[in-house]
Amino acid sequence: RWLGDADRGEPQGFGVAGLEQSTPSPGVLDALRSSDVVVLTPMSPVLDGPGLLGVPGVRDALRGTAARVVVMSPVGLPTSRDGDAERSAWSQAGLEMTSAQVAKLYADFADVLLIDEDEAQGSYPGRLTVTRAPLARALSRSVSEVEMRAMRAMRAAPSRVSTPASS
């Protein structure tokens, strides 16, 4: 229902098919381990995070890196995803949609949590540095801009789908 399909009802859970058999692209783990700073851009910890952090070795590389790991909380930020869909996903996962919850989910590897200036106060893990910034204001204009640029690029790019030659 949260995807606009009212006949199906609420999802029972979320998962990434084939994740256990996936492998990181060459160089990804080395890059995470040898970087000075790693920044995780705002992503849903329910719908997006598992597809990245569940790839075997990625979360361990983030835990083991000497780099400072900065996580940008998605809470309160503009997104191309419907807000009701996001709230429903968090609820279905049994999570509160707050930056404090994001901090708990990433506490095993995050050093810094960057949250929007309007985010409510919360209880954060003690070792985590929490920094407020005007993220929503800064990103509100750029999300639609980025989407428009992406659409233009996709239309301009040659198709990668090959069709068999007619006989």
Side-chain angles (χ1 to χ4, degrees):
R1 182 172 70 192
W2 57 276
L3 290 175
D5 186 354
D7 298 336
R8 289 192 183 188
E10 292 295 326
Q12 297 302 305
F14 302 94
V16 180
L19 189 60
E20 299 81 24
Q21 295 82 31
S22 67
T23 57
S25 296
V28 168
L29 299 180
D30 288 338
L32 291 173
R33 290 183 191 114
S34 64
S35 295
D36 294 326
V37 175
V38 175
V39 178
L40 295 182
T41 59
M43 64 178 166
S44 169
V46 178
L47 300 174
D48 305 318
L52 169 67
L53 300 172
V55 173
V58 170
R59 196 171 197 116
D60 286 337
L62 288 169
R63 282 187 202 115
T65 186
R68 222 170 143 100
V69 179
V70 178
V71 174
M72 294 177 68
S73 173
V75 177
L77 302 185
T79 176
S80 59
R81 186 177 286 126
D82 176 80
D84 290 337
E86 191 67 32
R87 278 186 290 284
S88 177
W90 285 62
S91 176
Q92 288 294 319
L95 301 173
E96 191 178 351
M97 195 171 169
T98 64
S99 290
Q101 183 70 66
V102 173
K104 291 174 190 168
L105 293 170
Y106 300 148
D108 58 322
F109 62 80
D111 299 303
V112 177
L113 179 67
L114 191 56
I115 66 174
D116 187 62
E117 63 188 352
D118 294 330
E119 173 72 13
Q121 293 292 347
S123 176
Y124 298 95
R127 71 169 202 78
L128 187 67
T129 301
V130 179
T131 303
R132 291 178 180 276
L135 299 177
R137 284 189 290 139
L139 295 174
S140 63
R141 284 176 255 129
S142 63
V143 168
S144 59
E145 235 176 84
V146 168
E147 287 174 344
M148 287 174 39
R149 286 182 186 167
M151 292 300 292
R152 277 190 294 235
M154 287 190 304
R155 279 184 283 212
S159 174
R160 293 181 184 249
V161 178
S162 59
T163 54
S166 343
S167 23

